[in-house]
Amino acid sequence: MLDKVWADHEVGEGLLYVDLHLVHEVTSAQAFEGLRLAGRPVRRPDRTLATADHNVPTGPGDPDDLSRAQLEALDRNCAEFGVRLYALGHRRQGVVHVIGPELGVTQPGMTIVCGDSHTSTHGAFGALAFGIGTSEVEHVLATQTLPQRKPRTMRIAYVGTLGPGCTAKDMILGTIGQIGTDGAAGHVIEYAGDAIRRLSMEGRMTIANMSIEAGGRAGMMAPDDTTFAYLDGRPGAPPDFDAAVERWRGYASDEAAVFDREVTVDLADVAPQVSWGTNPSQVAPITGAVPEPADETDERALAYMGLTAGTPLRDIAVDRVFLGSCTNARIEDLRSAAEIVRGRRVSEGVRAMVVPGSAQVKAQAEREGLDAVFQSAGFEWRGAGCSMCLGMNPDILQPGERCASTSNRNFEGRQGAGGRTHLMSPAMAAAAAVTGRLADVRELVA
Amino acid sequence: MKAVRVVSGPVAALDRASVDTDQIIPKQFLKRIERTGFGEFLFHDWMKDPDFPLRRPDFAGAPILAAGRNFACGSSREHAAWAIQEFGFQAVVAESFGDIFRTNASKNGLLTVVLPAADVRELLDSAPAAATIDLQAQTVALPSGRTASFEVDPGVRERLLNGWDDIALTERRAEEIDRYEAERERRGPNVLAL
């Protein structure tokens, strides 16, 4: 699949054409400034789409001065260079990796870049999508191309069936636990197997999203009827949709495709996962215990997390719950969490919040009454943004606070200096909210 | 971008694996809209620890940073490369790097050198003993007197040696891009029509 998309976009030796460039406020200001200084225009504003997400407030109150300056810079830059912007308050605003797919501008066979490492999300549609730095953002704005060397390929094949209570998040956390945070370094991953084909687009996006947490350059999945049904009728979908589908079908890897590396993940071994450390490979099944440290990295992680080897994971109490991020804040994620929350209350002393992935996800959830489910249980119901996934806005953990989070990174300080993050699925985070500790969601759905 | 050929001098050692870019430059410092002003916040949280290696007086001013494998994984923030460079490092040596960081570093003239584990170990264990990285020759003169060689993408090497600006180079291929766009009649989203 990588070969086909690559061949289709090679302008010439080592130069790749970019079909869609997504832009946000945090990694673009210096790039636009570079264009301005050099007197360069944006080559293809029609292939460039901007939104404000990383640094926007999701609750009442105004952004601080620096944040406001950054958001205003995005407004100014998009106006000056003719780039379409869905700013804070727009009905289409949201986390950049949520809105691309929901608008239908993310399509199979495309090359998609964005100044954000979780751009890999869009690979769920059979696109080649990867994160870039600010200098490359400037390069794409100016030329609509990127100097690129073709990465190696790696197929991750899932065998077996996903057990009850397990989700796409558990599949990818289990996979990273198996191959490590640099297990896919230098490679584009292709996720394969019946378990992938059975997933919804939301589930597929959760998996592709975390490709970078295994070090992967990108993650791709073959486009199929699920992909096409998701895109049909969306505003950005091609007008001649049937012809597009015919073309898109051709991007799937051929039977005889050869990969530089092959990995098999047996889903029979995957139970609902939670992370216990400070990188996403430090995960364990919820039925397990905090492991004995294997090396210095593990020792540092346990010290930072305030955990002792041998402690059952289900004995770990949480202070905060965060349901959000480009990994798990789509409508299906909110539905699966709401199912656990319905008729229950957030545990005494726990502060829980839901941050929908986009203004459209929020509106959809409200039409379904999910906001009432969450709010009557004691969750805060917020506006769309990256929020506490990276804690640039005021949504952060206090030092020592422990959080059950549906996001993608449990790095030290990621959600706030001294904060302790446990990664898990939306249903597992909901279970943690209502029990006040890391909990096995399977015991709540009996 | 300034041309780079040789980086020579003391080595500072950060003997930790999978250091992520969130540690290199925490998110609260990503609000600036300039390319400068990040050096003083390098490893902001870790610097609070009196035992953090980069606080060692004998590492001060070192132009080379040796680090554990998978250095600068995670977030794509180019601010990490800017911060390392502004702090005073001109090169980072490790067994492996996060892909995006490595590209970002190359766009700013910050050398990233991949060496075998044993050679990186020597640098880590003998720091601040000096080393010399020669990009032209693709070699590192190690403190023991041994010389290790390293691989680098030929295109990246040429750009760094000459201090060439990437965009200007690509602009020379404008006709190729025009032809591609015309011939291929690139389908795909006209976001302005949304």
Side-chain angles (χ1 to χ4, degrees):
Chain A
M1 190 159 36
L2 171 68
D3 291 348
K4 293 181 186 181
V5 178
W6 193 275
D8 208 19
H9 291 85
E10 211 168 21
V11 171
E13 176 68 29
L15 195 63
L16 199 67
Y17 194 77
V18 173
D19 288 327
L20 175 65
H21 185 192
L22 300 167
V23 172
H24 66 86
E25 74 277 21
V26 173
T27 56
S28 67
Q30 294 90 346
F32 281 114
E33 181 63 14
L35 292 184
R36 198 174 286 121
L37 289 172
R40 293 176 170 126
V42 171
R43 181 180 171 99
R44 295 296 299 264
D46 58 327
R47 293 179 177 277
T48 311
L49 177 64
T51 191
D53 58 0
H54 280 63
N55 197 3
V56 299
T58 62
D62 292 328
D64 61 73
D65 288 349
L66 270 176
S67 302
R68 189 201 314 277
Q70 194 167 53
L71 291 164
E72 285 172 358
L74 184 68
D75 291 347
R76 214 166 43 241
N77 288 330
C78 289
E80 179 181 338
F81 288 93
V83 170
R84 166 65 52 91
L85 166 67
Y86 294 135
L88 191 58
H90 193 284
R91 70 188 167 87
R92 286 174 169 173
Q93 176 266 341
V95 180
V96 64
H97 310 309
V98 176
I99 71 166
E102 82 182 0
L103 291 169
V105 295
T106 295
Q107 294 166 17
M110 289 186 14
T111 46
I112 302 175
V113 300
C114 172
D116 184 275
S117 62
H118 292 110
T119 308
S120 57
T121 310
H122 307 265
F125 290 79
L128 172 61
F130 52 90
I132 57 177
T134 298
S135 294
E136 291 179 298
V137 169
E138 184 179 341
H139 193 284
V140 176
L141 289 172
T143 69
Q144 204 59 31
T145 64
L146 267 184
Q148 281 290 304
R149 200 153 258 263
K150 194 162 154 190
R152 295 186 295 272
T153 56
M154 172 176 183
R155 176 161 59 187
I156 298 183
Y158 291 92
V159 297
T161 309
L162 203 56
C166 291
T167 65
K169 186 65 163 286
D170 304 297
M171 288 171 70
I172 189 63
L173 286 175
T175 304
I176 299 166
Q178 180 178 328
I179 68 173
T181 54
D182 56 357
H187 291 75
V188 168
I189 302 170
E190 180 167 335
Y191 298 96
D194 286 339
I196 295 289
R197 282 187 285 275
R198 278 194 295 268
L199 285 176
S200 66
M201 287 317 295
E202 285 86 350
R204 294 181 193 185
M205 284 189 259
T206 298
I207 290 179
N209 173 274
M210 291 192 72
S211 302
I212 181 69
E213 309 312 333
R217 194 80 183 97
M220 304 176 82
M221 296 176 194
D224 61 11
D225 289 339
T226 304
T227 320
F228 312 141
Y230 177 96
L231 288 171
D232 198 4
R234 296 193 182 260
D240 190 353
F241 193 76
D242 292 342
V245 166
E246 277 320 297
R247 185 163 49 84
W248 291 341
R249 283 190 197 283
Y251 284 110
S253 286
D254 303 326
E255 288 283 331
V258 178
F259 296 83
D260 297 314
R261 278 184 66 199
E262 297 260 10
V263 170
T264 301
V265 177
D266 189 348
L267 293 174
D269 301 338
V270 174
Q273 305 280 308
V274 294
S275 70
W276 51 264
T278 55
N279 77 51
S281 74
Q282 294 169 322
V283 291
I286 182 63
T287 48
V290 177
E292 286 295 331
D295 53 27
E296 251 179 78
T297 305
D298 286 356
E299 280 168 25
R300 275 190 57 82
L302 288 186
Y304 180 85
M305 293 297 287
L307 294 173
T308 314
T311 306
L313 291 168
R314 280 174 297 182
D315 287 352
I316 298 173
V318 300
D319 307 299
R320 305 279 297 264
V321 173
F322 172 63
L323 255 162
S325 86
C326 58
T327 314
N328 277 129
R330 298 181 180 82
I331 188 67
E332 186 181 275
D333 300 316
L334 302 193
R335 286 177 191 146
S336 82
E339 209 170 295
I340 304 301
V341 169
R342 202 181 298 272
R344 296 188 168 100
R345 293 272 317 158
V346 171
S347 180
E348 189 70 29
V350 173
R351 183 176 168 201
M353 59 165 75
V354 184
V355 181
S358 70
Q360 292 204 70
V361 168
K362 184 177 187 183
Q364 174 67 28
E366 288 173 354
R367 280 194 291 277
E368 296 178 16
L370 303 185
D371 56 328
V373 172
F374 284 115
Q375 284 180 301
S376 63
F379 276 84
E380 296 170 33
W381 181 249
R382 297 298 194 92
C386 297
S387 177
M388 213 163 77
C389 175
L390 86 163
M392 275 192 77
N393 75 353
D395 307 337
I396 57 169
L397 297 180
Q398 298 306 308
E401 272 191 328
R402 193 177 292 285
C403 180
S405 177
T406 65
S407 56
N408 41 53
R409 287 187 175 137
N410 49 345
F411 296 155
E412 288 183 30
R414 172 80 177 179
Q415 297 192 293
R420 294 161 170 167
T421 303
H422 293 274
L423 304 175
M424 62 196 74
S425 72
M428 286 285 286
V434 298
T435 61
R437 50 191 61 242
L438 302 185
D440 190 336
V441 65
R442 293 172 297 189
E443 291 170 4
L444 296 180
V445 289
Chain B
M1 187 173 80
K2 241 174 69 183
V4 207
R5 200 178 76 81
V6 174
V7 177
S8 187
V11 175
L14 180 58
D15 191 1
R16 291 181 189 179
S18 295
V19 170
D20 58 78
T21 53
D22 275 76
Q23 306 315 316
I24 296 173
I25 184 83
K27 70 300 191 101
Q28 63 267 36
F29 306 112
L30 307 187
K31 298 182 181 188
R32 296 179 62 84
I33 56 176
E34 298 84 23
R35 272 175 181 264
T36 54
F38 300 102
E40 61 183 299
F41 304 118
L42 181 72
F43 291 111
H44 180 264
D45 292 347
W46 284 359
M47 286 283 193
K48 292 176 192 161
D49 171 6
D51 295 327
F52 183 59
L54 294 193
R55 288 183 59 168
R56 276 173 53 172
D58 55 343
F59 286 173
I64 299 171
L65 175 66
R69 64 189 265 266
N70 198 26
F71 181 75
C73 59
S75 160
S76 62
R77 55 189 72 169
E78 193 162 319
H79 313 66
W82 297 334
I84 288 173
Q85 203 169 32
E86 202 175 308
F87 188 82
F89 293 115
Q90 299 164 42
V92 189
V93 183
E95 200 184 327
S96 60
F97 290 90
D99 284 340
I100 306 177
F101 172 80
R102 208 163 182 216
T103 304
N104 290 341
S106 79
K107 306 290 179 190
N108 292 278
L110 174 67
L111 284 186
T112 54
V113 176
V114 171
L115 287 185
D119 295 332
V120 178
R121 178 49 52 200
E122 180 185 331
L123 289 171
L124 289 168
D125 290 347
S126 62
T132 298
I133 301 166
D134 186 332
L135 179 60
Q136 179 90 48
Q138 294 180 227
T139 57
V140 180
L142 297 165
S144 61
R146 280 192 310 122
T147 298
S149 58
F150 63 90
E151 296 293 320
V152 54
D153 180 283
V156 169
R157 176 172 169 275
E158 198 182 6
R159 249 186 345 91
L160 288 169
L161 285 171
N162 292 289
W164 283 335
D165 168 29
D166 240 7
I167 299 179
L169 283 185
T170 301
E171 279 180 338
R172 288 192 213 156
R173 302 177 69 175
E175 272 180 38
E176 239 178 306
I177 302 171
D178 291 343
R179 202 176 328 121
Y180 176 88
E181 280 185 332
E183 277 174 17
R184 298 305 295 270
E185 185 56 27
R186 292 304 316 162
R187 288 166 287 240
N190 178 354
V191 303
L192 296 183
L194 279 175

